[in-house]
Amino acid sequence: MQTETGIDSHLKDAAQLTDAAWAVLAERVGGVWMILSAYHLSKAAQNELMGVMGMLSIDAWLCGSLSGGYSRSTAIPANKSLGAARFYAFPIGGTSQVVLVGADEQTPASQRIWKLTASLLAGRSVSSSRAFLPDLQAGLPFDLPLALDKVLGAFVQAVKFQGAWLAIRRGDLLEIQADWNLPKAKGVSLQIDENPILRRVNRSLSEVVITRGQPNWDHLPYGSLKSGTTMWMCLPLVIGQRLIGVAAVWRQKEFSMAERGQLRELAVRVAPYVEMVMTFSEMTAHLRRLGLLNDFVLTVSSAQNLDQIARRVFGLLARAFGTELIALFLRSSDGRVLRDYRLLEGRMSVISVTLSGHPIQSVIKEGRTRRFKDSSREGFIGVHPNARSELIVPLKYRGQVTGVLVIESPQAEAFNQYDEHLMVVIASHLAGLIEYTRLREEAEGRARSLGLIHEVVQQVIGLNNKREVASISAELVAQYFKYELAVVLLKDDDGKFTVQGIGGTQSETVKEALLDEDFIKPDGVTGHVSRTGESILVSDAAQDALYKPIKGWEAHSEICVAIRDDEQILGIIDVEHRMQSAFSHNDLIAMESLAGILASVISSANRYQKLRQTIRQLRETEIELNARMEAQRSAESRLLQAAKLAAVGEMAAGVAHELNNPLTTVTGFSELVLEDFPADSPHRQELELVLQEARRASSVVRRLLDFSRQGERVRTSADLNEVVNDVIALTRHLIQTNRVNLHLELGESLPWVSIDTNQMKQVLLNLIHNALQAMPKGGELRVTTHKGNRENRNWVVMTVKDSGVGISPEDQARIFEPFFTTKGDRGGTGLGLSVTYGIVADHGGTIEVSSHPGDGSSFEVWLPV
């Protein structure tokens, strides 16, 4: 092996012989170029040179020289002061080293001198059969990236390549851990099952060679290949029948059989060492994480408050797991508020939010540890948007879930079962420590609250003026807790909230703003609390849609609580601060306690409070009595209508018997006459219509008898449009003789309804007759059908609308009663609409009327599909 002095001597002699400005011996280790020896180049210049070699273009140029094994030159970037115009690179065979020379020009003779120098520095080149393997005595297994870079270097030294990468297996993924002449490849994850080439390697456990032009060339797993690249090879690293990683290499010319055998042998030789390196690395990481328990005892347990505990826990977890995607959620003692701790850009963020509706609520309710290997494939949405693997551990104290600790990573399968067990142990200790600290903080906060309440009671007890009580309370709250704004609003006799007390450093600004606007924002925090009586704690106003600023003053934290006397909201207390997360759950409890005291004081100050309460109760009693009386009147009305309908039924039986005989005679003689009429007789159609209507009248008689006997109806699925057309054909002449214009609008593709067609014809006939009688001087009659939807059901709607005299509101309430008529001496019986109402109701439908005197009437019949 060349000594450092010998290397310096070779560089010096060659530089003096070739008039070179400077020369260095550099090696690529772990994807970074390092200067091993230098001649005539200062430390500052060496640092600048390493920066130039780290540039993507220069790094690729140097790697190309090593891969090809030939010297090359290029211009030094113009903005670099390295005392020369060009680089000259002379690779040292069998190594990852190169002699880099800086000169304005090197003649062919000078370049031959440098090639000789490079061969002298090479010493004994490593044979392909004795390629580099990790040395367990050199501490290499404890540095996984460096060890894998050396392993990939063994492949590069054995056979010349354009580029290469080495990936190790983690579950269903391959993660690239080392690269050669392929910038930014490290850390890339490849799904085995999603790539046909990787699937083939995983199944066959043998190398795969792809030539440009083959179908799988477009499915190469990773790497931007140059246009001249023609061959790509993937070598599996196998232990037993298990794939632990792969090495991918590519170049311009084909791999010979000897080279393929050489690479295959090398893959077999390095596989055990790769597995050993990975095992040592995982053991090291696991032992480092186990050290968390000791660090936890030494550092976290000595924290003085919850924020300090969270900050120290986050620091330990970030160092142990190499991630800052950590969150801690702590539930308040009453279960209403959730304290959210997170690391954002290296800084601790703490906000308080409402637990109800929060995504973490279901995790707290479930109360079990969960580990997600790849959330993007398992459908779980993490706390942080760029997280791929999650470890969620509940904090349990005496069987109750008091919070949740979440640690995430942007890498898939970042946590294993040992990590899960370790976090469960840490979480159990952390839960007890947090609960103890929280109880201490709550006790201190309540003691401070008691001091405020004692001060308020001393100053407002015995006061009868509500405004004075509110003013003193607001000043004391702002003074005692150092709040920038404290406002007390009380509800007046008209139910309006008005500012009765205001204190704090921003009080004058807010007073001026209130000249032009109300403090209560209906769609804001104050409006919500004044309506519902629910307390609200806002830790970050910028993220809360309920917060509405006041002109000239914009807070970032807010607490608003209601002053309540049982269910009655007497007023609200609102405190604000310009800092985010300025209020804790203890502050919320303090304000709620103060609100309870103020409620008692204000109730006592209202001398007429009992009288108002009595009046309210009397009003409620009056409303209830009126409702009962109205319900009784409605019931009596329904009973009366039922009795009238029963009378109609009894009468119908007698009338039906009287009408049945003449109808039978008409039907019989019509049938006899029809038998004698020739088929082409012009009067046959009118006689058939007479027979049809006689039969329909007989059917109506039978229906009246059935109605009186409550017999069965004959119903079939029918098209309502056909019923309408039949009735219109019967009444069209009558409509025309009454000087009425008919407008018929029938809906298309109406669903069929289950109806008694004769009864439904009777309904439409009654409505048309009523409409014609309402238009003695003629007018407009509109009959329509269409689909309808209400109460999540489908209906068919039939509408009869006229332009007649209309119906007064008083008569509309009674038009469906039996024997009620508005026709007076025009001969109305008051049974038409009553029968119509009964038929529609019997079909499970409804009939509705809409009318205004002088504007006509509209009757809608709704039938269920």
Side-chain angles (χ1 to χ4, degrees):
M1 178 181 291
Q2 299 285 345
T3 64
E4 184 177 352
T5 303
I7 294 173
D8 292 344
S9 177
H10 286 313
L11 295 178
K12 178 180 178 181
D13 293 343
Q16 291 176 348
L17 289 172
T18 60
D19 292 329
W22 49 265
V24 299
L25 175 64
E27 182 178 15
R28 195 175 191 270
V29 180
V32 179
W33 286 97
M34 301 177 62
I35 296 178
L36 304 181
S37 181
Y39 168 72
H40 209 254
L41 200 63
S42 64
K43 288 293 183 182
Q46 291 182 36
N47 291 334
E48 186 172 8
L49 177 59
M50 285 192 291
V52 173
M53 289 190 292
M55 297 168 59
L56 294 180
S57 59
I58 302 299
D59 179 55
W61 178 75
L62 290 171
C63 288
S65 178
L66 287 175
S67 301
Y70 51 83
S71 59
R72 62 198 320 190
S73 69
T74 188
I76 297 176
N79 59 344
K80 304 298 179 182
S81 57
L82 292 175
R86 299 185 68 79
F87 281 139
Y88 290 85
F90 301 93
I92 298 176
T95 70
S96 301
Q97 299 175 354
V98 66
V99 174
L100 193 62
V101 178
D104 292 335
E105 186 67 37
Q106 289 284 286
T107 65
S110 298
Q111 294 186 37
R112 285 195 293 272
I113 293 175
W114 282 112
K115 291 179 182 178
L116 178 62
T117 302
S119 63
L120 291 173
L121 293 178
R124 257 181 220 175
S125 62
V126 181
S127 65
S128 60
S129 61
R130 306 291 296 171
F132 169 80
L133 294 177
D135 183 5
L136 297 180
Q137 303 295 327
L140 203 56
F142 300 102
D143 190 343
L144 180 63
L146 182 59
L148 296 179
D149 199 67
K150 289 287 187 181
V151 170
L152 184 61
F155 286 95
V156 176
Q157 293 169 19
V159 178
K160 301 301 181 183
F161 305 122
Q162 278 186 312
W165 51 258
L166 177 67
I168 62 174
R169 184 171 185 173
R170 297 188 185 276
D172 295 330
L173 301 175
L174 285 171
E175 291 185 1
I176 298 179
Q177 298 287 342
D179 67 273
W180 176 261
N181 198 18
L182 187 64
K184 298 182 180 180
K186 285 186 179 179
V188 174
S189 296
L190 306 173
Q191 288 283 350
I192 296 177
D193 292 337
E194 293 180 0
N195 185 275
I197 300 175
L198 297 180
R199 283 201 307 269
R200 178 178 168 186
V201 173
N202 186 38
R203 286 196 301 266
S204 65
L205 299 180
S206 59
E207 76 272 8
V208 173
V209 179
I210 308 294
T211 305
R212 181 181 289 275
Q214 291 183 341
N216 276 334
W217 183 263
D218 295 331
H219 297 102
L220 297 183
Y222 185 79
S224 54
L225 307 184
K226 296 181 180 179
S227 58
T229 304
T230 59
M231 300 294 294
W232 186 91
M233 176 184 283
C234 185
L235 297 155
L237 306 181
V238 182
I239 297 296
Q241 294 297 316
R242 180 168 50 89
L243 181 71
I244 66 168
V246 298
V249 298
W250 56 90
R251 69 181 190 182
Q252 293 175 323
K253 62 180 181 178
E254 294 186 2
F255 296 102
S256 67
M257 296 303 295
E259 288 175 327
R260 290 179 62 172
Q262 190 176 351
L263 292 173
R264 189 185 306 114
E265 177 186 358
L266 183 58
V268 173
R269 291 171 60 85
V270 301
Y273 296 96
V274 171
E275 184 181 42
M276 191 174 299
V277 167
M278 292 167 57
T279 303
F280 272 107
S281 177
E282 290 176 358
M283 291 177 60
T284 302
H286 184 61
L287 290 173
R288 184 168 59 250
R289 292 171 184 177
L290 284 177
L292 276 175
L293 293 175
N294 184 56
D295 294 340
F296 182 85
V297 173
L298 293 177
T299 59
V300 178
S301 300
S302 60
Q304 299 300 313
N305 53 56
L306 293 178
D307 291 353
Q308 200 174 73
I309 289 175
R311 191 174 293 106
R312 293 183 180 183
V313 167
F314 281 26
L316 291 175
L317 295 179
R319 289 195 299 272
F321 291 97
T323 178
E324 290 191 350
L325 307 183
I326 306 170
L328 176 64
F329 300 94
L330 299 180
R331 188 179 66 171
S332 63
S333 56
D334 59 5
R336 293 185 300 169
V337 178
L338 192 67
R339 195 77 167 167
D340 183 343
Y341 296 84
R342 300 193 199 186
L343 278 178
L344 297 177
E345 299 180 354
R347 299 181 61 184
M348 177 69 70
S349 170
V350 187
I351 61 173
S352 294
V353 296
T354 302
L355 176 59
S356 178
H358 195 279
I360 211 68
Q361 185 179 17
S362 60
V363 179
I364 294 177
K365 185 177 181 180
E366 187 178 18
R368 67 183 181 94
T369 302
R370 302 185 68 181
R371 175 164 55 93
F372 296 93
K373 296 181 180 179
D374 191 344
S375 58
S376 63
R377 296 169 65 88
E378 298 181 55
F380 180 81
I381 301 176
V383 175
H384 301 87
N386 59 332
R388 288 191 63 186
S389 54
E390 283 88 18
L391 188 56
I392 302 173
V393 186
L395 305 181
K396 295 184 178 180
Y397 182 75
R398 294 182 178 178
Q400 297 292 324
V401 179
T402 60
V404 176
L405 180 61
V406 180
I407 179 169
E408 301 175 328
S409 173
Q411 301 295 327
E413 301 196 27
F415 310 109
N416 54 36
Q417 190 174 7
Y418 296 106
D419 299 330
E420 182 178 339
H421 294 165
L422 174 63
M423 291 306 300
V424 169
V425 175
I426 290 178
S428 63
H429 292 287
L430 182 62
L433 178 62
I434 287 176
E435 192 64 22
Y436 170 76
T437 305
R438 180 160 55 188
L439 288 174
R440 187 183 70 243
E441 288 186 355
E442 287 183 358
E444 293 173 353
R446 288 173 182 173
R448 186 177 58 175
S449 301
L450 287 174
L452 168 65
I453 292 172
H454 178 72
E455 187 76 19
V456 170
V457 169
Q458 278 191 329
Q459 296 205 31
V460 304
I461 194 72
L463 294 178
N464 296 323
N465 188 312
K466 291 190 297 182
R467 186 178 186 86
E468 189 176 358
V469 171
S471 178
I472 292 174
S473 300
E475 291 290 346
L476 286 176
V477 167
Q479 177 183 349
Y480 210 90
F481 288 97
K482 302 295 188 292
Y483 296 155
E484 291 182 288
L485 181 65
V487 182
V488 178
L489 299 95
L490 300 180
K491 185 188 289 187
D492 58 22
D493 296 340
D494 297 328
K496 183 179 180 181
F497 288 88
T498 58
V499 176
Q500 301 293 320
I502 186 168
T505 57
Q506 299 297 320
S507 59
E508 294 302 322
T509 302
V510 174
K511 286 179 181 178
E512 185 176 351
L514 292 180
L515 296 175
D516 300 322
E517 61 180 303
D518 293 332
F519 190 84
I520 295 286
K521 307 296 182 184
D523 56 343
V525 172
T526 51
H528 180 81
V529 174
S530 64
R531 288 192 307 272
T532 65
E534 298 175 356
S535 301
I536 290 183
L537 168 61
V538 176
S539 295
D540 186 357
Q543 303 297 323
D544 198 307
L546 279 179
Y547 177 76
K548 306 297 178 185
I550 294 176
K551 182 180 178 181
W553 162 246
E554 185 169 351
H556 288 88
S557 300
E558 181 178 11
I559 291 178
C560 189
V561 300
I563 303 173
R564 304 176 59 170
D565 182 14
D566 293 331
E567 297 300 321
Q568 185 181 8
I569 299 176
L570 305 177
I572 62 173
I573 302 175
D574 186 82
V575 295
E576 300 180 10
H577 202 283
R578 71 174 67 249
M579 292 179 57
Q580 292 183 2
S581 302
F583 306 129
S584 67
H585 184 248
N586 289 332
D587 294 316
L588 177 61
I589 294 176
M591 292 300 101
E592 288 179 338
S593 301
L594 176 61
I597 296 296
L598 290 182
S600 299
V601 174
I602 292 171
S603 296
S604 299
N606 293 331
R607 297 183 179 277
Y608 54 89
Q609 185 65 32
K610 290 184 179 180
L611 179 60
R612 288 186 59 195
Q613 183 72 11
T614 302
I615 294 173
R616 186 174 64 84
Q617 291 177 350
L618 290 174
R619 287 177 179 173
E620 290 177 354
T621 303
E622 181 185 3
I623 292 172
E624 183 179 356
L625 287 174
N626 287 337
R628 290 183 179 180
M629 292 171 62
E630 183 63 29
Q632 184 175 356
R633 282 194 296 267
S634 177
E636 291 174 351
S637 176
R638 288 196 297 270
L639 286 174
L640 178 60
Q641 185 168 353
K644 291 179 179 179
L645 285 174
V648 170
E650 293 176 1
M651 238 173 31
V655 173
H657 283 294
E658 293 297 329
L659 292 178
N660 194 40
N661 290 334
L663 286 175
T664 302
T665 302
V666 172
T667 303
F669 279 104
S670 297
E671 291 174 347
L672 291 175
V673 173
L674 275 175
E675 291 178 359
D676 296 334
F677 264 41
D680 56 351
S681 173
H683 300 291
R684 184 176 182 85
Q685 185 177 1
E686 286 84 350
L687 189 58
E688 286 176 346
L689 184 60
V690 170
L691 178 59
Q692 179 182 349
E693 292 306 311
R695 288 173 176 172
R696 187 175 64 82
S698 297
S699 176
V700 172
V701 169
R702 286 194 300 273
R703 180 172 53 81
L704 288 174
L705 288 173
D706 291 340
F707 176 76
S708 64
R709 294 194 297 266
Q710 295 298 315
E712 294 183 357
R713 308 306 193 261
V714 179
R715 293 188 186 173
T716 58
S717 293
D719 185 353
L720 188 61
N721 284 344
E722 293 183 2
V723 174
V724 175
N725 283 325
D726 288 347
V727 175
I728 293 301
L730 180 64
T731 59
R732 186 179 299 276
H733 179 71
L734 180 62
I735 293 172
Q736 292 175 352
T737 57
N738 279 272
R739 301 189 303 279
V740 171
N741 296 322
L742 174 65
H743 303 277
L744 186 62
E745 299 174 7
L746 302 183
E748 296 181 357
S749 303
L750 286 184
W752 285 22
V753 289
S754 178
I755 58 175
D756 185 320
T757 55
N758 287 331
Q759 287 187 336
M760 206 48 59
K761 287 180 182 179
Q762 185 65 46
V763 168
L764 184 55
L765 275 172
N766 288 345
L767 295 178
I768 290 177
H769 286 161
N770 285 348
L772 294 177
Q773 292 173 359
M775 297 183 289
K777 297 181 181 180
E780 304 291 328
L781 175 64
R782 187 177 299 275
V783 179
T784 64
T785 61
H786 62 87
K787 300 176 184 178
N789 187 282
R790 61 165 58 165
E791 300 175 355
N792 296 324
R793 289 188 61 186
N794 293 324
W795 303 73
V796 173
V797 185
M798 177 175 66
T799 305
V800 178
K801 184 176 181 181
D802 63 66
S803 59
V805 296
I807 307 171
S808 67
E810 296 80 8
D811 291 341
Q812 288 182 37
R814 301 185 59 195
I815 58 174
F816 294 114
E817 293 181 4
F819 310 114
F820 177 80
T821 178
T822 59
K823 299 174 184 176
D825 54 4
R826 284 180 289 165
T829 63
L831 291 175
L833 286 179
S834 178
V835 171
T836 298
Y837 179 88
I839 293 173
V840 174
D842 192 47
H843 280 74
T846 61
I847 181 169
E848 301 173 357
V849 60
S850 174
S851 180
H852 297 283
D855 291 336
S857 303
S858 175
F859 287 84
E860 283 190 350
V861 176
W862 290 67
L863 297 174
V865 174

